[in-house]
Amino acid sequence: MHALSDESRAIVDDVLAYSRRRALWEDIPLDLPVPPEELARIAPMSITPSGIGAQEALALFGDVLAPACLSTDHPGYLSFIPSAPSKAAMAFDLIVSASSIYGGSWLEGAGAVHAENEVLAWLASEFGLPGTAGGVFVQGGTIGNLSALVAARDAARRRNREQGRRDPARWKVIASAESHASIASAAAVMDVDIVGIRPDADGRLHGSAVRKAVATHGDAVLAVVATAGTTNFGIIDDIASIAEVTRHHGIWLHVDGAYGLAGMLVERMRPAYAGVEHADSVIVDPHKWLFAPFDACALLYRDPSIALRAHTQHAEYLDTLTSAVAANPSDLAVQLTRRARGLPLWFSLATYGTDEYRAAIAQGIDLAARLAEEIERRPGLSLVRRPQLSVVVFRRDGWTAEDYDAWSERLLASQRAFVVPSSHDGEPVLRIAIINPLTSYALLCEVLDTLA
Ligand SMILES: *Cc1c(COP(=O)(O)O)cnc(C)c1O
């Protein structure tokens, strides 16, 4: 590390040149994971007392390490939830890195926080939350869900104290059995219990089931979690009827829309999300369906002052910050130091406009519907259910889990697509998630052809 030297200039130039090439690749390789022994052999020790130099390290990354990572923005990456950062978002992420912005406090990052807040306010209004809603961009949906539930418990405890009531022996969170694993993870971290409700035949959690669970667990319930787009199927819970119950009982409603809430930006999809406007907290991940790079989760609170009370960290050296007028992003979640990770989304939205976002999300929904129709047309394939968002789950009749695994491996080895099997009610199934505007109908048909 030196002051600005020729060496520093060369390092920055080389890294930016690499980034430029990668960001503008037309034919993104899908790539393959490499076993640990093999990587140990082909990626020799690079951490040495005198360093190996930027050029050698960059070559090692480009030639050996990067090809051992799947490109989640490849149009054939159809597993889990793919990523499809826009060029604007991807490029701006470099600026965030170059700018050394501390995004945790208003004092240090006012400009960045202002821009992030504009995005959060726009999302809040799209979701029907009041103008006083606010929040913060955190690392991902897992941290967003945890932070929201911690705020919910804090609110429930304060209310008990105000009303002279004792806290329950065990706090409980009500959620659908189809809710994301991060809800169970948050409950484990908080040491609270999950009341998991099997969804109805339509796959959704309804208010009637929540009402029964509340009747059983009463004051021990710190929050109800509704999922706006399950990860496995893209199913949106019946949020309106759930919200009726939570409002009647004064229970915190958290909406986990990490993947699927982006769908609400499409006008014709809005009715499916009715009730979100009653949420006390909401999350949506820009790194999923809002075309931003890893990693970011927009966490919104109906009343941010509740989150502030639950999350503000106190320390003498932080006192100047916590006494500042404007809210500090770090005071709204489980975190302190924070990258201004909402800025790539801000730049992308500012660049393209919200209409283009709505259109790109609608395209994924339409493509999933077309794929479902194609699956129904093809003999030997059957849909497990009609897609509501951009996840299509189906089966190849007669195949066992081993058949699916072997097929999936062959498909990845062919470098055409990455589709891993999933399961539903114990049955192995195939699951295709579409996020990337570059994923084409032709490519999806090619994948189906390999199942013949
Ligand atoms: C992906 C996902 C999460 C977790 O988000 P991360 O950003 O991966 O931590 C939570 N809930 C749902 C519904 C998800 O799809």
Side-chain angles (χ1 to χ4, degrees), residues 358-382:
R358 297 185 208 279
I361 296 163
Q363 184 185 322
I365 297 172
D366 293 342
L367 194 51
R370 268 183 91 190
L371 173 64
E373 282 164 24
E374 181 62 27
I375 286 166
E376 284 186 311
R377 266 198 296 275
R378 294 200 181 202
L381 301 182
S382 52

Side-chain angles (χ1 to χ4, degrees), residues 329-413:
S330 286
D331 294 342
L332 299 173
V334 184
Q335 60 180 3
L336 184 60
T337 296
R338 195 182 74 89
R339 177 182 178 81
R341 51 173 30 90
L343 284 186
L345 174 61
W346 162 76
F347 183 70
S348 188
L349 278 167
T351 299
Y352 302 115
T354 52
D355 285 351
E356 199 153 327
Y357 262 73
R358 297 185 208 279
I361 296 163
Q363 184 185 322
I365 297 172
D366 293 342
L367 194 51
R370 268 183 91 190
L371 173 64
E373 282 164 24
E374 181 62 27
I375 286 166
E376 284 186 311
R377 266 198 296 275
R378 294 200 181 202
L381 301 182
S382 52
L383 263 189
V384 174
R385 57 177 297 136
R386 293 213 133 267
Q388 191 175 9
L389 296 176
S390 68
V391 177
V392 182
V393 182
F394 62 108
R395 57 176 80 79
R396 163 69 164 81
D397 300 331
W399 271 18
T400 62
E402 292 72 39
D403 294 326
Y404 285 118
D405 285 339
W407 169 82
S408 174
E409 257 180 56
R410 282 197 307 275
L411 187 65
L412 180 58

